[in-house]
Amino acid sequence: MKERPLVLDEVDSKIIEELQQNGRESYKNIARKLGVSDGTVRLRTERMIKHDYLRITASVNPLYFENSLIAMVGINLEERANTDIMERIAAVSGVQSVINVSGRFDLLVEVFVSSRNAFRQFLVDDLSNVGGIKSTETFMFLDAINKWAEHKKI
């Protein structure tokens, strides 16, 4: 039996809004606010998660500790960006996301690490081991509003 594609409706959107306010909110409380059953909330949430549309996680403020660093690194590659090199970069410690972009860079990589030394290791050692990188340019986050990141054992 072929699985139906994900189609979102107003109830799905409202469930997402509630979970964005509090990812720990019970399905029962969300259901009460939306006027649906808690089974509806649970099934719809599970369906969105199963289709890789929704993820519920804990996020941290990457600028909370004075010594931690968060940066966006623009990368130019020797060849076109492909899934293989993106996955190799994504596997490096501290990498939050790898984005294939248009413009002056081939990739943008968001990095969250515990120290300047850890960032040096990422930039000099870890990226060198990936290979295929022609050049990089780093943009350090000095401050941010509403910036959250995955902890990933920084």
Side-chain angles (χ1 to χ4, degrees):
M1 185 170 167
K2 189 174 182 181
E3 192 171 321
R4 291 186 352 209
L6 182 64
V7 177
L8 301 180
D9 64 14
E10 188 65 25
V11 172
D12 295 315
S13 295
K14 288 181 179 179
I15 291 169
I16 293 168
E17 287 174 20
E18 292 296 325
L19 290 169
Q20 286 175 324
Q21 293 299 313
N22 179 2
R24 297 182 63 195
E25 187 69 77
S26 73
Y27 292 154
K28 190 175 194 173
N29 286 343
I30 294 171
R32 189 175 342 102
K33 288 179 185 178
L34 302 183
V36 298
S37 73
D38 59 328
T40 296
V41 174
R42 181 179 50 78
L43 289 172
R44 286 173 177 245
T45 301
E46 288 172 359
R47 177 178 50 103
M48 289 185 281
I49 291 170
K50 180 181 172 189
H51 280 87
D52 287 331
Y53 182 76
L54 177 66
R55 182 176 73 164
I56 302 169
T57 64
S59 300
V60 298
N61 178 347
L63 299 168
Y64 186 85
F65 292 110
E66 194 171 304
N67 292 332
S68 63
L69 298 173
I70 188 160
M72 191 67 71
V73 179
I75 296 178
N76 286 310
L77 302 170
E78 292 171 357
E79 297 179 15
R80 280 186 69 87
N82 59 55
T83 304
D84 179 55
I85 196 161
M86 292 175 71
E87 287 175 352
R88 286 191 316 225
I89 293 170
V92 173
S93 179
V95 172
Q96 295 287 303
S97 63
V98 179
I99 309 148
N100 188 348
V101 295
S102 63
R104 109 179 184 207
F105 298 107
D106 297 315
L107 300 174
L108 290 177
V109 178
E110 186 176 21
V111 183
F112 175 34
V113 292
S114 60
S115 67
R116 189 179 74 231
N117 194 40
F119 186 73
R120 185 213 52 79
Q121 179 179 337
F122 164 78
L123 205 56
V124 176
D125 301 333
D126 298 338
L127 281 186
S128 294
N129 290 334
V130 168
I133 295 173
K134 187 173 16 174
S135 64
T136 65
E137 184 175 345
T138 300
F139 303 89
M140 300 299 288
F141 290 35
L142 301 176
D143 201 0
I145 297 172
N146 288 328
K147 178 63 190 147
W148 296 93
E150 292 181 15
H151 185 262
K152 288 190 176 180
K153 196 176 178 184
I154 63 166

